[in-house]
Amino acid sequence: ILVKGASIMKNRRKSILAFTSFIVIFALLLNLFSMILIPKDNKMSKTIRGFYEEKKNSLDVLFLGDSSMYRSIIPAKLWKENGFTSYALGAPSVRTYALYYLLEEALKTQKPKVVVMEVNCAFNDHKYSMGNKRKIIDHMKLSMNKINMIQDAAFQFSLTDKISLLFPVFLYHNRYNEINAVDIAETFGSPMNDTKGFISSYKQKPYKGKTNYMRASSQAMFDANSKKYMDMIHDICKKNHIKLMLLKVPGAKEWNQSKKEAVELYAKERHLPYLDLNTNMEKNIDWRRDTNDSGVHLNIFGAEKVTMELSQYFRRHYRLKKTTDQEVIASFNKAYRLFNEKRKSYKRPVKTVTI
């Protein structure tokens, strides 16, 4: 009887092991097919996937934020002016709770000395669309961080959403007849992002609102989750001995004095540096020429001004040594060369859109 019982237990363990192995292999295959089928021909794909290709622990500064950030900061120009390496890691309409998980992901491969958080995302009160959420999550590698992100109640994902985010094959299965060599190649390693996250625009569409947009308005409030996740970002930076800095780039349509004061109070309470370029650069930004969409985002001309202001700020407040790693030097030299070549091909004024 004992021998028979032992045999039954042994067979049961084998069955459990076989079933577990099947589930694991099935999940891995689903993930592989998902990675192949996810569209890779968009700017966010290049930003997120390209970040993984940066050499391990090669970045001095990590910029986090929404489109206001990655359209205003030019890492290649910061490299040329100051000699430090950086990356603009963000996504459109991103919220602070998404930035927290992006930072967690980034710290798996990088140990930046400074993290700069652009604070416009703390006041995003318009709908955070599923499409914009996917622009981050679809391109992240499968890990516990990604799973925790999908499970986080702040995103308000349904069960169907969670399944399709975990295994995008269920959403993109109809792309099977569109798969090309790029889809296959970038599944196993994306090309490095030569803009280091910066997305440029050479269009001009003037802002025609009031020039004193930084006037006082009704009291500004962080959105429901902003303060919680900003504190979590602060905590993870402290834990990893990273300096956290808060930043607001110029934005005529989205920023005002009340929002500035709310961030100032938050920064003061937590002893964080805060640089608001809406007041520091008030006389430098020409809202007739330096925006591509009537004052929401900066174009290349505005971005160059912001980048030069940041260059001077970093020179005064942070001691960042230039890398001696020849691979990293070559990567950032290439980034600047490509940026400069494109920049030289445009002369002001470029295509101007009137409203």
Side-chain angles (χ1 to χ4, degrees):
I1 295 174
L2 289 174
V3 172
K4 186 177 180 180
S7 178
I8 292 172
M9 289 298 295
K10 185 177 181 180
N11 290 334
R12 184 174 295 171
R13 282 196 296 270
K14 284 183 177 180
S15 296
I16 292 172
L17 180 61
F19 179 73
T20 303
S21 299
F22 170 77
I23 293 297
V24 170
I25 293 170
F26 183 67
L28 290 173
L29 287 173
L30 280 179
N31 182 59
L32 175 61
F33 291 134
S34 295
M35 292 300 100
I36 293 172
L37 288 168
I38 288 172
K40 305 171 186 69
D41 57 352
N42 58 75
K43 293 174 181 178
M44 283 303 102
S45 168
K46 292 177 173 59
T47 294
I48 305 297
R49 290 171 178 269
F51 182 83
Y52 289 114
E53 301 306 315
E54 294 295 322
K55 187 172 183 179
K56 188 174 182 180
N57 297 331
S58 64
L59 297 176
D60 298 315
V61 180
L62 180 65
F63 294 98
L64 296 173
D66 62 12
S67 53
S68 300
M69 178 277 296
Y70 61 72
R71 289 187 178 276
S72 301
I73 298 169
I74 311 171
K77 199 166 181 66
L78 287 171
W79 162 257
K80 179 65 175 178
E81 296 296 325
N82 293 55
F84 66 76
T85 57
S86 62
Y87 199 97
L89 186 61
S93 300
V94 74
R95 301 300 198 268
T96 54
Y97 46 89
L99 287 184
Y100 168 76
Y101 290 100
L102 264 183
L103 179 57
E104 285 272 20
E105 193 71 9
L107 295 184
K108 293 178 183 179
T109 56
Q110 298 294 334
K111 292 181 180 178
K113 299 170 183 66
V114 184
V115 166
V116 181
M117 180 179 172
E118 212 286 343
V119 293
N120 189 60
C121 56
F123 298 92
N124 275 328
D125 54 4
H126 53 280
K127 183 180 179 181
Y128 192 17
S129 71
M130 187 64 179
N132 280 335
K133 293 172 184 176
R134 296 201 80 105
K135 285 177 181 177
I136 300 174
I137 300 173
D138 276 352
H139 303 293
M140 290 171 62
K141 293 181 178 180
L142 184 61
S143 65
M144 279 309 302
N145 182 51
K146 181 172 180 174
I147 292 170
N148 290 337
M149 186 177 188
I150 293 169
Q151 293 286 354
D152 194 320
F155 288 90
Q156 300 180 330
F157 291 136
S158 66
L159 178 59
T160 303
D161 292 336
K162 291 176 182 179
I163 293 172
S164 73
L165 285 162
L166 193 58
F167 299 114
V169 64
F170 295 118
L171 179 68
Y172 299 118
H173 61 277
N174 288 331
R175 284 198 71 242
Y176 72 92
N177 59 345
E178 301 174 12
I179 294 174
N180 54 38
V182 173
D183 286 304
I184 302 297
E186 293 194 9
T187 297
F188 301 99
S190 298
M192 188 170 286
N193 185 351
D194 288 323
T195 72
K196 309 300 181 184
F198 172 60
I199 296 178
S200 63
S201 172
Y202 287 80
K203 293 182 179 179
Q204 292 175 321
K205 187 176 181 180
Y207 167 68
K208 293 190 175 181
K210 296 180 179 179
T211 55
N212 62 335
Y213 66 89
M214 284 299 287
R215 64 193 181 281
S217 61
S218 57
Q219 186 177 6
M221 301 287 290
F222 290 114
D223 71 35
N225 289 300
S226 286
K227 190 173 290 188
K228 171 186 173 183
Y229 285 88
M230 285 172 73
D231 282 343
M232 290 168 67
I233 288 170
H234 187 201
D235 288 343
I236 194 174
C237 285
K238 286 196 294 184
K239 179 181 176 182
N240 288 276
H241 309 290
I242 299 168
K243 296 177 180 178
L244 176 63
M245 169 188 164
L246 304 181
L247 169 71
K248 182 67 195 80
V249 300
K253 278 196 170 179
E254 63 193 11
W255 206 243
N256 57 50
Q257 184 65 24
S258 296
K259 289 180 179 180
K260 177 179 182 256
E261 290 172 358
V263 178
E264 281 177 335
L265 177 61
Y266 178 89
K268 183 178 180 181
E269 290 174 345
R270 289 155 183 79
H271 307 289
L272 295 172
Y274 170 46
L275 177 63
D276 193 320
L277 297 180
N278 289 275
T279 49
N280 288 53
M281 295 184 66
E282 190 173 14
K283 296 179 180 179
N284 293 344
I285 296 295
D286 183 347
W287 288 110
R288 298 168 301 169
R289 301 170 184 266
D290 294 339
T291 174
N292 71 312
D293 52 7
S294 306
V296 180
H297 299 103
L298 298 177
N299 58 24
I300 183 65
F301 310 113
E304 285 184 314
K305 292 177 180 180
V306 165
T307 301
M308 292 306 295
E309 189 74 17
L310 280 174
S311 172
Q312 295 174 30
Y313 182 89
F314 270 87
R315 200 173 286 127
R316 292 193 302 267
H317 293 89
Y318 297 100
R319 293 179 178 271
L320 299 173
K321 296 180 180 179
K322 187 172 183 177
T323 181
T324 57
D325 188 310
Q326 292 303 309
E327 182 182 344
V328 177
I329 291 172
S331 172
F332 274 82
N333 282 344
K334 179 185 177 183
Y336 181 73
R337 176 175 56 79
L338 293 174
F339 164 77
N340 204 38
E341 287 174 0
K342 185 176 182 180
R343 178 67 181 87
K344 284 182 177 179
S345 67
Y346 289 87
K347 294 181 180 179
R348 197 193 274 275
V350 295
K351 181 180 178 182
T352 302
V353 183
T354 59
I355 55 174

